[in-house]
């Protein structure tokens, strides 16, 4: 794979910064997805190889989705809750696949990270970080980290190769969602060295009976508004399922938009999916989140959260109605007739 001039230049800058410290805390988004996990693992390997930096990886929420748990196992990662880590005890702090003050990571707002590497649209708070590499045209942060490793000629073991490959596939939906030539090049470079059996076990990780019960709830609650679908999962114990159900419902014939939401601890979590690559889902997520919440993402997929004040059944019901109403307004379907998907 030919190393891009941009990546080589950035690698020199990043290496210089990494050499200024001995320890680094790498923070992922809350409830990290495959792209975030693979990217964090890759940055850890890179930092150790080019500057002998010892890294710890942390996140908020849980690693709940079967594919994510399998990836963590294969990578042999010792992930820690951000709340248990004192960022001040590390020489450097990095954010991967997320950015400062986005609302989707648990890094304290008063901490300015030294490094931010992400493929989402750049946020204002990111500008204050000493080193940033934000490539919003890329389909996955794993692609960026793969380019760094290739430019630095760092040997990469099979689990990390396989995880980076899956991170790219996952975030681009097998190149059907906002993928670029860079993502394809990274995939082609990684594929020959990836373990295909491991890849299959990550993709098709085993799930408990509760997973299917929740799918039953999601389908039973799904409402169709013209070419849009909205569903509530109710109270959930696995936040990853929100995005997974949204992905599933987008496969419905003649569907342009999907909203899926659920209530996890003291938050309402929602995911948006759109069939068109220019649908402005990130903007729609911010409208749904409103002033009290946070949201954002890409044109075809996004997510957000809104805090609950009392977390009562009545408050959850009212907030669910607000989320659906804002969704319909954001996608221009206020007047559409509501029809149950099933029954």
């Amino acid at each position: 794979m030919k190393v891009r001039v941009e990546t080589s230049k950035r690698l020199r800058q990043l290496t210089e910064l990494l050499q200024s410290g001995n320890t680094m805390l790498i923070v992922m988004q809350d409830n990290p997805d495959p792209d975030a996990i693979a990217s964090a693992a890759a940055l850890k390997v890179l930092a150790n190889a080019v500057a002998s930096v010892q890294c710890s990886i942390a996140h908020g929420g849980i690693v709940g989705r079967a594919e994510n748990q399998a990836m963590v196992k294969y990578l042999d990662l010792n992930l820690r809750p951000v709340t248990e880590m004192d960022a001040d005890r590390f020489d450097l702090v990095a954010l991967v696949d997320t950015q400062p003050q986005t609302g989707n990571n648990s890094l304290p707002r008063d901490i300015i990270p030294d490094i931010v590497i992400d493929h989402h649209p750049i946020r204002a708070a990111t500008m204050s970080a000493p080193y940033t590499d934000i490539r919003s045209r890329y389909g996955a942060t794993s692609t960026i980290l793969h380019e760094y490793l290739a430019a630095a000629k760092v040997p990469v073991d099979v689990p990390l190769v396989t995880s980076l490959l899956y991170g790219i596939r996952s975030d681009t939906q097998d190149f059907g969602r906002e993928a670029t030539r860079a993502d394809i090049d990274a995939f082609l470079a990684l594929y020959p060295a990836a373990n295909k059996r491991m890849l299959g076990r990550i993709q098709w990780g085993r799930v408990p009976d509760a997973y299917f019960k929740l799918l039953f709830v999601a389908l039973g609650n799904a409402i169709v508004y013209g070419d849009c679908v909205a569903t509530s999962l109710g109270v959930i114990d696995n936040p990853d399922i929100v995005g997974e159900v949204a992905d599933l419902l987008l496969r419905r014939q003649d569907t342009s938009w999907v909203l899926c939401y659920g209530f996890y601890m003291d938050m309402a979590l929602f995911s948006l999916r759109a069939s068109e690559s220019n649908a402005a889902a990130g903007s729609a997520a911010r409208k749904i989140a409103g002033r009290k919440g946070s949201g954002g993402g890409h044109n075809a997929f996004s997510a957000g959260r809104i805090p609950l004040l009392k977390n009562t059944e009545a408050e959850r019901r009212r907030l669910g109605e607000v989320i659906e109403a804002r969704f319909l307004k954001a996608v221009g379907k206020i007047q559409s007739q509501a029809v149950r998907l099933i029954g």
Side-chain angles (χ1 to χ4, degrees), residues 120-150:
H120 297 91
I122 192 165
R123 306 294 284 260
T126 302
M127 303 292 191
S128 59
Y131 180 86
T132 64
D133 189 351
I134 311 300
R135 306 189 199 182
S136 58
R137 67 188 185 280
Y138 278 32
T141 304
S142 291
T143 299
I144 304 173
L145 267 300
H146 162 70
E147 289 188 9
Y148 277 123
L149 291 168

Side-chain angles (χ1 to χ4, degrees), residues 46-105:
L46 178 70
N48 186 258
V50 303
S52 299
V53 177
Q54 300 301 307
C55 303
S56 296
I57 303 176
H59 64 92
I62 65 171
V63 178
R65 198 162 169 169
E67 60 183 334
N68 303 338
Q69 293 175 352
M71 184 179 287
V72 169
K73 178 182 177 182
Y74 282 125
L75 289 169
D76 194 25
L77 294 179
N78 179 26
L79 302 183
R80 303 288 299 277
V82 175
T83 53
E84 293 183 3
M85 310 299 286
D86 182 359
D88 292 332
R89 297 184 62 182
F90 292 84
D91 300 325
L92 299 166
V93 175
L95 283 176
V96 292
D97 203 34
T98 184
Q99 296 180 46
Q101 301 181 20
T102 55
N104 73 338
N105 67 72

Side-chain angles (χ1 to χ4, degrees), residues 28 33-43 71 75 142 145 160 163-164 167:
M28 303 181 288
D33 62 12
D35 187 31
I37 295 168
S39 299
L43 180 57
M71 184 179 287
L75 289 169
S142 291
L145 267 300
L160 182 54
S163 296
L164 286 168

Side-chain angles (χ1 to χ4, degrees), residues 33 36 45 50 62 96 100 112 115 144 171 178 186 229 231 236 251 273 285 293 296 302 314 319 337:
D33 62 12
V45 169
V50 303
I62 65 171
V96 292
I112 299 174
I115 298 165
I144 304 173
D171 246 37
E178 300 188 11
V229 181
T231 191
I236 55 177
R251 296 181 60 187
R273 298 293 184 267
S302 61
L319 185 53
Q337 182 180 2

Side-chain angles (χ1 to χ4, degrees), residues 12-298:
R12 289 193 293 271
Q13 297 169 345
L14 177 58
T15 300
E16 184 177 345
L17 178 57
L18 289 171
Q19 289 174 342
S20 68
N22 296 312
T23 60
M24 180 165 68
L25 176 64
I26 302 172
V27 179
M28 303 181 288
Q29 60 188 249
D30 294 348
N31 315 307
D33 62 12
D35 187 31
I37 295 168
S39 299
L43 180 57
K44 178 180 179 180
V45 169
L46 178 70
N48 186 258
V50 303
S52 299
V53 177
Q54 300 301 307
C55 303
S56 296
I57 303 176
H59 64 92
I62 65 171
V63 178
R65 198 162 169 169
E67 60 183 334
N68 303 338
Q69 293 175 352
M71 184 179 287
V72 169
K73 178 182 177 182
Y74 282 125
L75 289 169
D76 194 25
L77 294 179
N78 179 26
L79 302 183
R80 303 288 299 277
V82 175
T83 53
E84 293 183 3
M85 310 299 286
D86 182 359
D88 292 332
R89 297 184 62 182
F90 292 84
D91 300 325
L92 299 166
V93 175
L95 283 176
V96 292
D97 203 34
T98 184
Q99 296 180 46
Q101 301 181 20
T102 55
N104 73 338
N105 67 72
S106 295
L107 184 70
R109 294 179 67 87
D110 61 339
I111 294 178
I112 299 174
D114 301 279
I115 298 165
V116 182
I117 302 175
D118 189 24
H119 75 117
H120 297 91
I122 192 165
R123 306 294 284 260
T126 302
M127 303 292 191
S128 59
Y131 180 86
T132 64
D133 189 351
I134 311 300
R135 306 189 199 182
S136 58
R137 67 188 185 280
Y138 278 32
T141 304
S142 291
T143 299
I144 304 173
L145 267 300
H146 162 70
E147 289 188 9
Y148 277 123
L149 291 168
K153 296 182 172 58
V154 174
V156 182
D157 63 18
V158 171
L160 182 54
V161 168
T162 306
S163 296
L164 286 168
L165 178 70
Y166 188 72
I168 295 169
R169 284 185 53 185
S170 175
D171 246 37
T172 64
Q173 293 283 288
D174 283 325
F175 306 103
R177 183 173 70 183
E178 300 188 11
T180 67
R181 184 69 219 180
D183 301 299
I184 296 171
D185 288 344
F187 176 88
L188 293 175
L190 291 163
Y191 189 80
N195 184 307
K196 311 310 183 292
R197 179 175 294 182
M198 186 183 298
L199 193 64
R201 288 176 176 172
I202 292 173
Q203 183 173 6
W204 304 110
R206 297 283 185 165
V207 294
D209 290 350
Y211 172 86
F212 298 100
K213 292 177 181 177
L214 201 52
L215 287 184
F216 179 80
V217 171
L219 295 174
N221 289 343
I223 304 295
V224 178
Y225 301 91
D227 61 350
C228 302
V229 181
T231 191
S232 168
L233 303 180
V235 177
I236 55 177
D237 58 11
N238 176 8
D240 288 342
I241 194 67
V242 178
E244 191 164 356
V245 168
D247 288 334
L248 173 65
L249 288 175
L250 190 62
R251 296 181 60 187
R252 176 182 172 270
Q253 189 174 6
D254 300 323
T255 297
S256 297
W257 282 94
V258 171
L259 163 73
C260 180
Y261 65 93
F263 301 96
Y264 177 70
M265 299 181 70
D266 58 352
M267 288 280 179
L269 306 178
F270 66 87
S271 285
L272 290 181
R273 298 293 184 267
S275 60
E276 300 297 326
S277 59
N278 61 347
S283 175
R286 288 188 289 274
K287 292 176 182 177
I288 294 171
R291 288 178 295 179
K292 295 182 179 179
S294 61
H298 293 271

